[in-house]
């Protein structure tokens, strides 16, 4: 049967009318807590895997004494890094839980200089750095856009414009994913757009090759959108946090001057690739159902359109003004920097009622603490002296030419993020990238290109949230539209 969007909308309205806003938020939070994703788990910490990680760390410390005989703090930091990375890679615990272990373990192992009290102050200050206020601001801007139904209105307009030309509609959705990922984040944008696309997908058979191409296009465009701005993905935030800890910085204008043409070209190339693969992706059942000269169209986008009030327009204008201030460095400096602009907008949004307290409490705080724990790990690696030792060793193996060095670092990052979460790879490898870039005099370039490299790998679905988001999409019978081989076929050449 076909999905009746209007009937579903009436059912949702009747259900929401019987519940209070607080109860609705409670049910939504409960539903979110039951879900899974990259680094999220219904199960508590896995004891056997955690024990194995602890044993590995215990073995790594004495072994490192042979390689680092005169650096006791670096030896203990090797144990900390071994435990943290093995916990992340094996998913022995939710990523954010592992990240929060970093500060207390770093103090217990005394990897920094000074007393334990002094070490604790330094490492805790690195957890909630100024970069996290930009992430929080991104969540608030996302809420403002959702409240105004901006993504639904845009998708409906695209359907009216390109509904008779489904491949142009797919290209438009991909550019919408790029724009929303750059304005919000590539964690929030795919969540919003998958809800917009689900009614369209449910009007198509589960084995429809167009539905597969549309979901892959959404994943790829949101991955590419994660490169677009300094706050559009956790890995960008992590990279800039580590760069700022070393005294460097990249302005929004500098980042956008590189990312806008690169990302636009990337989305168009991804669309051409999906168009090519579409010709060879039809199943036997789909071919048997198809009729000669049958014209495919895109179903109508159905959503409960609310009135565009003066308050919503003012909220949108203030959100766009904040983004414009981020991009204009002199204006941001007038307020004390982009982080202070972010704090000011969050305060205004809460104070004026743009977002409710329930909405604020529902944000992805686990993501913020994951990034914060990564910042603490970066400080531990640097403060212990381990980073200097690693840099000296890597510098002897890599090219001395700045251009070739950056190219080699990108290849390493792309290779790592093919098999490991993009965010985890950035948290682990970016301190080394910054240090090597500093030594070659190209720290900003290496971080920018490295940040782009951390988001580009698409071959395996479990390495990024946009990929997982598309992979987990299922029809009314619980049957997924995508499988692992779909990502391998399309994501490897990407």
């Amino acid at each position: 049967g076909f999905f009746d969007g209007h009937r579903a909308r009436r059912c949702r309205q009747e259900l929401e009318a019987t519940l209070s806003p607080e109860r609705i938020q409670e049910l939504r939070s409960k539903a979110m807590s039951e879900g899974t994703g990259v680094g999220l788990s219904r199960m508590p910490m896995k004891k056997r895997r955690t024990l194995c990680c602890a044993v590995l760390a215990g073995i790594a410390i004495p072994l490192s004494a042979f390689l680092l005989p005169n650096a006791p703090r670096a030896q203990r930091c090797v144990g900390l890094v071994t435990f943290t990375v093995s916990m992340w890679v094996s998913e022995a615990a939710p990523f954010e839980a592992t990240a929060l272990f970093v500060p207390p373990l770093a103090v217990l192992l005394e990897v920094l200089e000074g007393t334990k009290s002094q070490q604790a102050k330094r490492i805790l200050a690195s957890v909630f750095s100024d970069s996290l206020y930009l992430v929080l601001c991104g969540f608030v801007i996302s809420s403002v856009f959702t409240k105004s139904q901006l993504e639904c209105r845009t998708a409906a307009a695209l359907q009216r414009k390109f509904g008779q030309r489904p491949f142009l509609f797919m290209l438009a959705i991909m550019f919408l994913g790029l724009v929303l990922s750059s304005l919000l984040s590539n964690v929030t944008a795919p969540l919003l757009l998958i809800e917009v696309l689900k009614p369209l997908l449910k009007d198509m058979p589960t084995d429809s090759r167009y539905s597969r191409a549309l979901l892959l296009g959404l994943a790829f465009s949101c991955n590419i959108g994660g490169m677009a701005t300094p706050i559009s993905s956790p890995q960008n935030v992590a990279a800039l946090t580590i760069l700022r800890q070393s005294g460097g910085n990249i302005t929004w204008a500098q980042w956008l001057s590189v990312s806008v043409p690169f990302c636009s070209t990337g989305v168009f190339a991804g669309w051409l690739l999906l168009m090519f693969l579409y010709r060879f992706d039809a199943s036997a059942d789909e071919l048997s159902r198809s009729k000669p000269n049958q014209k495919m169209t895109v179903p109508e986008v159905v959503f409960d359109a609310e009135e565009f009030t003066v308050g919503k327009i003012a909220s949108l204008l203030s959100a766009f003004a904040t983004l414009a201030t981020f991009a204009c460095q002199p204006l941001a400096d007038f307020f004390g920097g982009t982080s202070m602009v972010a704090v000011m907008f969050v305060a205004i949004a809460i104070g004026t009622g743009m977002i409710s307290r329930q909405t604020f409490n529902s944000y992805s705080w686990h993501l913020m603490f994951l990034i914060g724990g990564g910042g603490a790990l970066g400080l531990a690696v640097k403060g212990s002296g381990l980073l200097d030792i690693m840099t000296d060793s890597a510098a002897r193996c890599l090219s001395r030419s700045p251009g070739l060095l950056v190219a080699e670092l990108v290849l390493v990052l792309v290779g790592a993020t093919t098999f490991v979460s993009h965010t985890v790879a950035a948290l682990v490898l970016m301190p080394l990238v910054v240090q090597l870039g500093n030594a070659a005099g190209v720290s900003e370039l290496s971080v920018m290109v490295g940040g782009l490299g951390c988001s580009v790998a698409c071959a395996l679905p479990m390495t990024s949230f946009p990929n997982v988001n598309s992979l987990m999409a299922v029809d009314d019978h619980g049957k997924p539209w995508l499988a692992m081989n779909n990502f391998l076929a399309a994501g490897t050449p990407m």
Side-chain angles (χ1 to χ4, degrees):
F2 291 95
F3 176 80
D4 188 343
H6 295 285
R7 183 182 177 188
R9 182 176 61 180
R10 288 195 301 272
C11 291
R12 194 196 75 185
Q13 288 174 333
E14 292 173 4
L15 180 61
E16 290 182 348
T18 63
L19 300 171
S20 66
E22 292 77 12
R23 180 58 177 163
I24 292 173
Q25 183 60 49
E26 180 184 341
L27 291 173
R28 285 175 177 167
S29 299
K30 184 177 180 181
M32 287 290 288
S33 68
E34 293 295 323
T36 58
V38 177
L40 303 179
S41 174
R42 295 192 185 105
M43 302 298 293
M45 185 180 295
K46 299 175 178 64
K47 296 178 182 178
R48 290 185 180 179
R49 293 186 189 180
T50 303
L51 180 60
C52 290
C53 295
V55 170
L56 281 176
I59 295 172
I61 293 176
L63 285 179
S64 64
F66 295 100
L67 301 174
L68 314 170
N70 300 317
R73 287 189 290 112
Q75 295 169 18
R76 294 191 292 270
C77 192
V78 168
L80 174 64
V81 172
T82 301
F83 176 75
T84 306
V85 173
S86 59
M87 288 283 287
W88 274 336
V89 172
S90 65
E91 296 188 13
F95 286 173
E96 64 275 12
T98 301
L100 287 173
F101 272 119
V102 172
L105 288 177
V107 174
L108 288 172
L109 293 171
E110 297 188 74
V111 299
L112 301 179
E113 293 180 338
T115 66
K116 286 191 174 181
S117 177
Q118 292 170 334
Q119 292 180 53
K121 288 179 181 178
R122 285 182 62 192
I123 203 117
L124 287 176
S126 70
V127 172
F128 217 90
S129 63
D130 56 354
S131 298
L132 289 193
Y133 293 105
L134 296 175
V135 180
L136 179 59
C137 182
F139 290 152
V140 175
I141 291 174
S142 169
S143 297
V144 170
F145 286 177
T146 304
K147 189 175 181 180
S148 303
Q149 298 179 311
L150 189 62
E151 78 288 352
C152 294
R153 295 175 189 273
T154 305
L158 293 175
Q159 190 276 336
R160 289 193 295 270
K161 180 73 173 176
F162 302 113
Q164 302 301 316
R165 291 171 289 181
F167 292 107
L168 287 181
F169 176 81
M170 183 169 70
L171 178 62
I173 285 292
M174 290 177 71
F175 271 103
L176 180 59
L178 169 65
V179 172
L180 287 180
S181 294
S182 62
L183 294 177
L184 310 176
S185 79
N186 73 341
V187 174
T188 305
L191 285 173
L192 296 177
L193 287 175
I194 199 71
E195 295 303 319
V196 174
L197 293 180
K198 275 182 180 178
L200 310 182
L201 295 170
K202 289 178 180 178
D203 270 352
M204 306 174 193
T206 307
D207 62 351
S208 164
R209 53 180 169 168
Y210 181 75
S211 64
R212 290 193 291 274
L214 198 58
L215 284 170
L216 287 170
L218 174 62
F220 294 165
S221 64
C222 289
N223 279 323
I224 295 170
M227 312 176 194
T229 71
I231 63 169
S232 58
S233 70
Q235 48 269 28
N236 289 1
V237 177
L240 283 177
T241 299
I242 295 164
L243 177 63
R244 287 167 180 166
Q245 288 177 353
S246 67
N249 192 26
I250 299 174
T251 66
W252 273 62
Q254 290 171 328
W255 191 288
L256 292 173
S257 66
V258 175
S259 66
V260 169
F262 180 81
C263 293
S264 301
T265 305
V267 168
F268 190 73
W271 176 69
L272 291 177
L273 173 66
L274 291 172
M275 287 276 289
F276 173 77
L277 294 176
Y278 174 86
R279 298 178 178 274
F280 306 98
D281 194 33
S283 65
D285 289 341
E286 185 177 7
L287 290 175
S288 66
R289 290 194 306 267
S290 61
K291 300 177 182 178
N293 301 321
Q294 184 179 20
K295 188 176 181 181
M296 185 174 62
T297 59
V298 179
E300 180 185 358
V301 177
V302 178
F303 68 101
D304 185 14
E306 299 175 356
E307 185 181 357
F308 224 1
T309 63
V310 175
K312 291 179 180 178
I313 294 174
S315 299
L316 284 175
L317 291 176
S318 62
F320 283 119
T322 301
L323 293 170
T325 305
F326 287 163
C328 182
Q329 191 64 35
L331 186 57
D333 290 339
F334 174 79
F335 292 100
T338 52
S339 297
M340 199 56 64
V341 173
V343 172
M344 184 170 64
F345 176 73
V346 172
I348 292 172
I350 298 173
T352 58
M354 288 187 207
I355 62 169
S356 65
R357 181 178 296 174
Q358 288 80 13
T359 300
F360 186 77
N361 290 339
S362 69
Y363 289 149
S364 300
W365 294 98
H366 67 278
L367 178 62
M368 299 185 69
F369 283 106
L370 170 60
I371 297 170
L377 183 63
L379 177 63
V381 172
K382 181 180 179 182
S384 67
L386 179 60
L387 184 58
D388 291 329
I389 297 170
M390 293 169 61
T391 302
D392 292 339
S393 301
R396 289 193 291 268
C397 301
L398 297 175
S399 173
R400 295 184 180 276
S401 167
L404 288 176
L405 173 65
V406 171
E408 289 168 350
L409 290 174
V410 170
L411 289 175
V412 171
L413 288 168
V414 171
T417 51
T418 299
F419 303 99
V420 180
S421 163
H422 295 178
T423 304
V424 170
L427 294 174
V428 173
L429 296 176
M430 271 302 167
L432 181 61
V433 171
V434 171
Q435 193 77 353
L436 289 170
N438 273 332
V442 288
S443 58
E444 283 81 7
L445 177 62
S446 62
V447 166
M448 178 178 289
V449 177
L452 300 181
C454 282
S455 297
V456 76
C458 304
L460 296 177
M462 302 308 293
T463 56
S464 78
F465 184 80
N467 287 2
V468 171
N469 186 61
S470 289
L471 181 70
M472 294 299 179
V474 295
D475 63 12
D476 289 334
H477 302 287
K479 184 179 179 182
W481 279 285
L482 292 175
M484 178 74 76
N485 63 307
N486 301 127
F487 276 97
L488 288 171
T492 302
M494 275 292 290

